[in-house]
Amino acid sequence: MGFVSRLITLFGLVLLAHAGYSAHEHTVLYSNVHLSSSSTALPQDIVIEALVSLVIVSTGLVLGAEKLKPVSWSEWAAEVQREGASRNPYQRLEDRYSFWDVRAKRKEFADWMRGDIPSKG
């Protein structure tokens, strides 16, 4: 995270804290007032300050984030298969008792369709 993005994020967090403090003070101030004609909703300037601060914080975080890497599930799966069970996050599922091996069943079906395996009938 660069210095500028950290500074932008810090500024946004200070604004967000100020908006939260202002909302708290407004609520405390109007909690003791029992006027039926006045509304106790937050003033628009506090709401706008909170929304602007959220945009500023988000901008700072996005600017400071690392560049995204492209995701290709097929490449990831091929890499996991090459390395074997050491990196496979689903190895625990595959080691279950009576786990149905899809690849073996596909091969068996393809062999059956080609006529390589005589039918058991």
Side-chain angles (χ1 to χ4, degrees), residues 29-43:
L29 180 66
Y30 283 101
S31 66
N32 296 329
V33 177
H34 298 294
L35 300 174
S36 60
S37 63
S38 68
S39 173
T40 58
L42 286 176

Side-chain angles (χ1 to χ4, degrees), residues 3-119:
F3 177 73
V4 175
S5 63
R6 287 183 184 187
L7 193 63
I8 291 172
T9 305
L10 180 66
F11 178 68
L13 287 174
V14 168
L15 278 180
L16 187 61
H18 182 264
Y21 178 75
S22 298
H24 172 72
E25 286 297 313
H26 176 76
T27 305
V28 169
L29 180 66
Y30 283 101
S31 66
N32 296 329
V33 177
H34 298 294
L35 300 174
S36 60
S37 63
S38 68
S39 173
T40 58
L42 286 176
Q44 283 189 347
D45 63 335
I46 295 175
V47 174
I48 291 172
E49 182 182 8
L51 293 175
V52 168
S53 66
L54 284 174
V55 169
I56 291 173
V57 167
S58 299
T59 303
L61 291 174
V62 167
L63 289 176
E66 294 180 19
K67 186 174 180 178
L68 297 176
K69 298 175 185 172
V71 176
S72 175
W73 287 105
S74 60
E75 289 178 15
W76 175 80
E79 183 179 319
V80 167
Q81 279 225 313
R82 276 192 302 267
E83 293 180 9
S86 62
R87 270 197 61 214
N88 188 352
Y90 306 109
Q91 186 62 38
R92 226 178 58 205
L93 293 173
E94 292 177 5
D95 290 339
R96 294 183 309 185
Y97 175 71
S98 75
F99 183 74
W100 194 57
D101 190 4
V102 175
R103 289 190 185 103
K105 294 294 181 184
R106 281 185 187 160
K107 184 180 181 319
E108 183 181 318
F109 179 74
D111 290 344
W112 176 76
M113 287 297 290
R114 283 191 304 263
D116 292 346
I117 297 176
S119 63

